[in-house]
Amino acid sequence: GTAGPPEVVPSREGLATPAKQALSIALPVTNWLSGEAQRLRASFEITEGDAESIVLEGAPSIELAPGATRDYALRFFAYKQGRVAALVTLASESNEYVAHEVVVDVTRVAVCGSVELEAPVRQSARKLITVDNPLNRELTFPEDWWSCDDPNVRLTRGLKTLSELVLDLEYRPLLAADRVKRDLVFTI
């Protein structure tokens, strides 16, 4: 007879996390050898999603007693929203292996912070916001990369390097008004 590769263990349903927030995933692994301990080496492959914006981390190997089952701790982190699929392979020294499929829905990033600006009529209040670029490549922006329902608010891109971006937030009211909180939403 012939033997094919082992079946891939399917992903747990409902794995989700906001972008830029770590997710811990426990993958159950069983030692298929009943008489001896095994050390399994871990490797990761991104099969769907932008591999440059995804981080998968875990111990380089896992030790299993004969017939034992343990959880392999995987740390998942994504900088962009979208669907991500990966294959986690745990292989023995004789190249026998078990593979786990991991599918995570990465949702919109949570609010990172807030800025309060106050200015007299027809004068500007400004705040420079520095955003780190962890991707080690140039950032590109869609045309609608920010929005605000207040016409007195402007956000412009300033200094841009491979490691960071400086944004210039300006508030310049044209009429005297009561203090009103405005939401300024931008995604990078």
Side-chain angles (χ1 to χ4, degrees), residues 109-116 129 182-186:
V109 69
V111 174
C112 294
S114 63
V115 175
E116 289 191 27
I129 302 169
R182 303 283 185 192
D183 289 332
L184 170 70
V185 177
F186 63 95

Side-chain angles (χ1 to χ4, degrees), residues 141-147:
F141 298 90
E143 288 297 317
D144 61 345
W145 70 283
W146 77 280
S147 65

